[in-house]
């Protein structure tokens, strides 16, 4: 389904070369000031990457966000916030060669198996362009979280993105099935190309032996200084302990081979196709803001649940 | 929350040293024959491990399952299936020393932050014993999936459990937020001690370079022979492609130190406690059946959703 | 929340005098042909009523639907269907007098209590105009249901709307909490002004004495001829029995008094205000299509759940 | 499905003549003192009716509640509260005559259409006995609500139950699809035999003409004295206004005819059966506590959502 979250919810829509993409943020508290410059900056990070490179795709669109509802005099009303980003630079003709064949490493074949049809133009719903709606939704979550002193920062090493969430109080997340780590994994593994997830200060902390793994208490301290190490990544038993929450998410390489791909046709025969359209050779510098956005949506939802449930808010 | 799944649902309850633990399976189709020997065998795998070892805990309970509803003449009715496993070997007195202190590496502190109270006896709700209810629920999911020719098998290497799901047809899972990989991660990262998750035939497949990562098509083949390699772990765009679904989940080591632990008291001071009770030194041989159980619950739920939605069931 | 349904889902947005209203239909099966003339006809029924009258409001807008996603070559893709209806005839200035006072019988006061703010222009989110998005979503549900031979028809008597759903097979709905009658009530009582709900061929059938209430079987018949009477309104134990499903929903009168209203100010004092803007004196002829739309959304959702669960689909 | 609620949730199980019935309350805040005498009193109200009568059924069971989890030292832990009521007075042999035939007015036929099987003993899952689990869950909701000064009272007139909820603050409920009135209707129309629902001080208030319907403000008053009348039943735009919330729910008569019924066999032929077992001739005095229980569950869930969302809690 195309909705993320239980209380703070984002529902998205849009195909890469359809009319528009966008979404609805439902459950955002009333009275929040919308910071349009933050949203524009986040969308720029997504479009051009944290370190703009000649290897990212050449789609030239300003990602202008049109706001349709939920905001009055610059503040949220508590009602659904709908937004649209129009696809102005559509070139469906670029993709005619892909109409009847399935590329390797793509979602072409699986969409057809699921739906019996697909939008073959630029990946359709499976395009990375869909993540723009997540960035808008995530930006709104970030604004609300900033008021609670929760902040996100990412570091990129190869195609592994490390995300650190600071300021999250202890007691967020639920034991058993709604563990904060499980929610974060569910959130960021929904990003196209994401394939691995791990919590902990370092990605290999979980491999530490018995006598080194448990984080020892800092005497008389609480909050972001609670333990001497952070091998558990700020989460114990699925619940935040007040230390920074740290996770790492790994992405496989872009699967489109600009020089040509051996595609499968409906009858099972193979054919070589040189993809038209625009495709990333390296997209990793565009990933951090998407990771932060999904993490912000997950954290906002968990924090809102804590307001309903927790004894110590 | 303590419910997993949207259509095929398991709700669990129970503290380690309370009266009982158990659960309710809701949404299981009617007419399914309950194989009690499978459930007993799976519970035995959980209790003693796939390779019984002197290092696993010494709790001697038969894990007798009492069935309360949802079954008539050995077959499911379509109504909720409630089951209870009584805690016959409770020794709450063993845990008195832990009443007022928080162990390092455990959920003691975070439960207290969240709820303002906790059951300090043997980990309470955070105990690994809770997973017995998941194994019963997962066994029922497995029985239903077996009728659809879906099977699970695990391999253990250190504390990394590899799970292979065979027989799953193409088209299962949803794009965007309910991707099959994200659902599987959400499922298995809810297991106590689980800390890493990755899809792919091998855990490092996602790190392959551009020209090696995409799985190439096998000419004229479908199903479990669709591609020449399986770097994507049987999932493209969040949807199964008919190849075996393969994921790996990593668990940190047990956090209880039988020789003693430096615990934190409510006032922030530290104290050394030698844990009474029973604790695993190595629990990894008990994990495979729990991983399979959670994977079975996730797959049953996704397969049932596909019956509602898909064009090609 | 602003989402209706579990599998076939409508999420709506929009304030009466904001930029636009609209919604996202998620979970609609792929391959459905969109009948734009049906949608236009249904929106016309909503705007002008089944029997156009000089007493309905004078907002002159064509309700042009802009489609943003989920449709290719006239057919659904299985992905989210987003649509927008722009508010072209906004006159916020008409409502300045209402900025700081709460009208009797309206949602002005309760929105302010809930959100601490409100869009005072024409009722904001609480305006009946919001129902246009429901009619679009309901029309899509109707198209899908028409393929399954399910049809809706309404009869209006005063302000009581009787809705008859024909063609629904036996076995739809769930016992206990997701009863078909409870789902229908939840659906139609979400319509502004709706205040009563009852199932049964006639609205007073539930008051029949013991010996007259139970519907007797028609020998050798099934489907829409199963019983000699239909006092239960086609639903037994929360599940359809194959007879026509019949319910009645009662609406209170419009609450705006064009001649002036005694309003409450934030400090508790009262003041008399003559409403500007446009307001219905009698809106009952506009209600049938909204009732049918919500019923169609509820039935589509229940029918889709039955595809996942039922033994006899 | 067998779960009610989003945040404060009750999941129930059990067939009338199976081993037991019961449920799991999930989401109840920690630290709540369980008042066992209240639960016993409520179960007695359910079993014998508010005005015990020779016309109610003669099942003699003490409804002993066994508590399995979620409570320590008499207080809730925040974890799931599981409870079981064993069926000690089972007489399945009484129902052999009903094994292969469907009674008029019952759920026998629809269960078979849905599931392809059914528990024919005493109505199975469709039995009124299932409501005992709702009363236990509702009692826990009432205990929590009592701490928030919310109370329930019912009045019975014929088979119409009027329920008045006092102490509910303004701002509870959501506009659009989660209106408080729609949630209450969804809750109480899930009770077996419930067929009509209406909000308002009197059941016919919604029929008042234009100039009488809107409740006028009481100058300078708030809370339970906000308006001079209460035709809207304390709910405006789906949200509570601080006045008492008043609704009425109508139940059809018991459908079992002790003197014999013309039943339908699987082949469509009819046969006359005199029901064995125990059946109410008049069950209306047992309904008030069930109505209150379902209303309490709905209100607890809405109040908890308000803690997460509202500006003015």
């Amino acid at each position: 389904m195309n909705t993320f979250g239980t209380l703070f919810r984002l529902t998205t829509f849009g195909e890469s070369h359809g009319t528009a993409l966008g979404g609805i943020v439902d459950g955002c508290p009333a009275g929040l000031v919308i910071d349009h410059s933050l949203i524009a900056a986040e969308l720029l990070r997504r479009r051009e990457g944290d370190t703009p490179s000649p290897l990212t795709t050449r789609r030239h669109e300003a990602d202008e966000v049109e706001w349709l509802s939920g905001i009055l005099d610059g503040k949220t009303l508590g009602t659904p916030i709908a937004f649209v980003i129009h696809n102005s630079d559509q070139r469906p003709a670029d993709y005619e060669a892909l109409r009847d064949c399935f590329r390797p490493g793509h979602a072409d074949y699986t969409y057809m198996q699921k739906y019996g049809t697909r939008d073959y133009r630029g990946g359709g719903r499976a395009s990375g362009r869909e993540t723009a709606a997540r960035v808008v939704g995530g930006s709104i979550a970030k604004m609300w979280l900033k008021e609670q002193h929760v902040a996100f920062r990412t570091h990129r090493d190869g195609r592994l993105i490390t995300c650190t969430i600071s300021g999250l109080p202890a007691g967020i997340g639920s034991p058993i099935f709604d563990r904060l780590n499980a929610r974060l994994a569910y959130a960021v593994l929904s990003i196209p190309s994401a394939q691995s997830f791990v919590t902990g200060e370092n990605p290999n902390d979980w491999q530490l032996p018995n006598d080194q793994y448990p984080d020892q208490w800092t005497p008389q301290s609480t909050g972001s200084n609670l333990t001497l190490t952070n091998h558990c990544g700020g989460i114990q038993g699925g619940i935040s302990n007040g230390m920074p929450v740290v996770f790492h998410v790994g992405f496989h390489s872009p699967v489109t081979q600009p020089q040509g791909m051996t595609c499968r046709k409906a009858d099972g025969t193979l054919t070589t196709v040189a993809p038209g359209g625009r495709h990333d050779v390296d997209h990793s510098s565009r990933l951090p803001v998407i990771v932060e956005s999904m993490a912000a949506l997950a954290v906002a939802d968990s924090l809102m649940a804590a307001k309903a449930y927790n004894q110590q808010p």
Side-chain angles (χ1 to χ4, degrees), chain A:
Chain A
M1 303 297 289
N2 297 277
T3 297
F4 184 86
T6 299
L7 294 171
F8 194 107
R9 294 150 70 98
L10 172 67
T11 303
T12 71
F13 67 85
E15 279 75 44
S16 177
H17 288 259
T19 304
L21 59 88
I24 299 175
V25 175
D26 195 9
C28 182
L32 182 72
V33 176
I34 295 293
D35 177 350
H36 292 286
S37 66
L38 172 66
I39 295 169
E42 295 282 82
L43 284 170
L44 188 70
R45 286 178 71 195
R46 194 204 71 89
R47 201 167 66 245
E48 305 200 347
D50 284 346
T51 51
S53 137
L55 298 181
T56 51
T57 63
R58 296 171 306 278
R59 183 154 174 161
H60 297 297
E61 304 200 23
D63 283 341
E64 292 279 356
V65 181
E66 183 185 13
W67 301 93
L68 301 182
S69 67
I71 302 171
L72 184 67
D73 299 335
K75 289 187 185 174
T76 58
L77 284 164
T79 56
I81 304 166
F83 60 91
V84 170
I85 301 173
H86 283 269
N87 289 326
S88 55
D89 185 23
Q90 300 151 262
R91 303 188 200 168
D94 287 1
Y95 299 94
E96 276 305 309
L98 297 175
R99 182 192 276 267
D100 297 314
C101 68
F102 311 124
R103 292 165 295 177
H106 290 71
D108 301 343
Y109 177 80
T110 55
Y111 267 62
M112 185 59 86
Q113 291 294 313
K114 181 174 178 63
Y115 296 114
T117 183
R118 71 188 171 104
D119 185 349
Y120 60 91
R121 304 166 305 171
R125 182 78 178 133
S127 164
R129 183 157 169 71
E130 169 265 335
T131 58
R134 306 188 192 209
V135 169
V136 175
S139 299
I140 294 173
K142 274 186 177 176
M143 289 170 207
W144 182 67
L145 289 168
K146 192 180 175 187
E147 291 193 348
Q148 336 271 322
H149 312 292
V150 179
F152 299 80
R153 103 176 161 261
T154 41
H155 172 78
R156 177 166 60 98
D157 182 15
R159 292 191 308 268
L160 188 75
I161 311 293
T162 295
C163 182
T164 303
I165 308 169
S166 58
L168 195 64
I172 308 304
S174 290
I176 317 303
F177 300 126
D178 268 342
R179 290 168 189 254
L180 184 57
N181 52 324
R183 293 298 298 178
L184 287 167
Y186 179 63
V188 298
L189 288 175
S190 77
I191 301 172
S193 307
Q195 200 161 348
S196 76
F197 176 90
V198 57
T199 44
E201 191 157 38
N202 298 295
N204 296 323
D205 279 352
W206 65 274
Q207 296 171 352
L208 288 170
N210 255 21
D211 55 346
Q212 293 176 34
Y213 179 79
D215 301 301
Q216 301 300 318
W217 304 109
T218 308
Q220 299 292 358
S221 285
T222 57
S224 64
N225 204 20
L226 182 75
T227 54
L228 298 172
T229 53
N230 192 11
H231 302 320
C232 74
I235 301 173
Q236 289 174 304
I239 304 169
S240 65
N241 67 3
M243 293 284 288
V245 169
V246 187
F247 68 86
H248 317 266
V249 52
F251 292 81
H252 67 66
S253 60
V255 284
T256 302
Q257 312 290 320
Q259 69 278 20
M261 293 177 284
T262 303
C263 295
R264 179 189 176 86
K265 304 181 76 167
D267 63 4
T269 59
L270 306 187
T271 181
T272 301
V273 173
R278 292 149 296 201
H279 306 281
D280 280 344
V281 175
D282 175 19
H283 61 358
S284 62
S285 88
R286 303 167 65 167
L287 295 170
V289 70
I290 307 172
V291 170
E292 291 175 28
S293 296
M294 289 309 303
L297 288 165
V299 169
D301 197 39
S302 293
L303 197 57
M304 197 166 269
K307 286 182 184 289
Y309 284 126
N310 285 20
Q311 292 304 299
Q312 307 188 20

